[in-house]
Amino acid sequence: MKKLIYIAAFIFCAFQSTNAQSNNSVKPDSLYKDFKTEFMWEAKVKISGMINVGESKRGVRRVIPITGGTFSGPKIKGVVLPGGEDWQLVRPDGDTELNARYLMKTDDGYTFQVLNQALIHVDAATKSFYCKSVLDFEVPEKSPYSYLNHAIFLGTLRMPALKPGEEPYVIIGVYKVL
């Protein structure tokens, strides 16, 4: 009997999927044209000297310690706590994958985790710089910022020219996908 129920469920799901695909009049190009974003904050993330781990089976591995910083947006502001790291992989094709994990603390005392995965690509012909990321936040549920647990966030990354004596940092823009 269980086997018959599983078979019936499989046929039903397969029929629903086929039926939905055949009745789907939405063109793939139109699915994403209405994506909108909302600016959340900009962070100035301080970093220290790169640790070059070296050649690995996937490319060149390096780690950049995160030493602090600040962030500010229309609904939130605070500091980047020291102690995080950005694990980077320079792939054989020349692109760099970033995988950063760090903590931020709001001015009103809430600490939350940031996972930021990015891709850097520099076009060899035009020297154009591309860097976009996807961010995930783990925020205390009973906080004014728990809404950050329930959305997709995209990011940008800029590496400004440093003034003499200035500590190294990057600028990260964070945008909520609506």
Side-chain angles (χ1 to χ4, degrees), residues 58-69:
R58 293 182 177 91
V60 176
R61 177 68 65 189
R62 55 194 191 195
V63 179
I64 298 180
I66 295 171
T67 61

Side-chain angles (χ1 to χ4, degrees), residues 46-64:
K46 294 180 184 178
I47 56 177
S48 72
M50 176 178 59
I51 301 165
N52 190 354
V53 178
E55 189 75 34
S56 75
K57 63 184 179 183
R58 293 182 177 91
V60 176
R61 177 68 65 189
R62 55 194 191 195
V63 179
I64 298 180

Side-chain angles (χ1 to χ4, degrees), residues 11 43 93 95 162 172:
I11 291 170
D93 66 2
D95 285 358
L162 298 176
I172 298 171

Side-chain angles (χ1 to χ4, degrees), residues 14-102:
F15 174 76
Q16 290 295 91
S17 176
T18 304
N19 195 29
Q21 288 174 7
S22 65
N23 291 334
N24 189 356
S25 61
V26 177
K27 296 178 183 168
D29 293 343
S30 67
L31 286 175
Y32 308 107
K33 74 175 184 169
D34 292 329
F35 269 172
K36 292 179 175 51
T37 59
E38 174 187 358
F39 172 73
M40 301 305 288
W41 65 77
E42 185 172 271
K44 179 179 179 179
V45 179
K46 294 180 184 178
I47 56 177
S48 72
M50 176 178 59
I51 301 165
N52 190 354
V53 178
E55 189 75 34
S56 75
K57 63 184 179 183
R58 293 182 177 91
V60 176
R61 177 68 65 189
R62 55 194 191 195
V63 179
I64 298 180
I66 295 171
T67 61
T70 58
F71 68 100
S72 179
K75 300 175 189 172
I76 190 171
K77 66 179 180 172
V79 296
V80 177
L81 297 176
E85 295 177 320
D86 179 10
W87 287 71
Q88 300 184 354
L89 179 69
V90 181
R91 303 184 322 205
D93 66 2
D95 285 358
T96 302
E97 297 176 4
L98 286 68
N99 192 352
R101 181 183 209 136
Y102 52 99

Side-chain angles (χ1 to χ4, degrees), residues 12 21 25 67 75 93 95 97 105 110 121 129 131 146-147 154 175:
F12 176 76
Q21 288 174 7
S25 61
T67 61
K75 300 175 189 172
D93 66 2
D95 285 358
E97 297 176 4
K105 185 173 186 176
Y110 294 94
H121 173 77
F129 178 80
C131 183
S146 64
Y147 63 90
L154 302 177
Y175 302 84

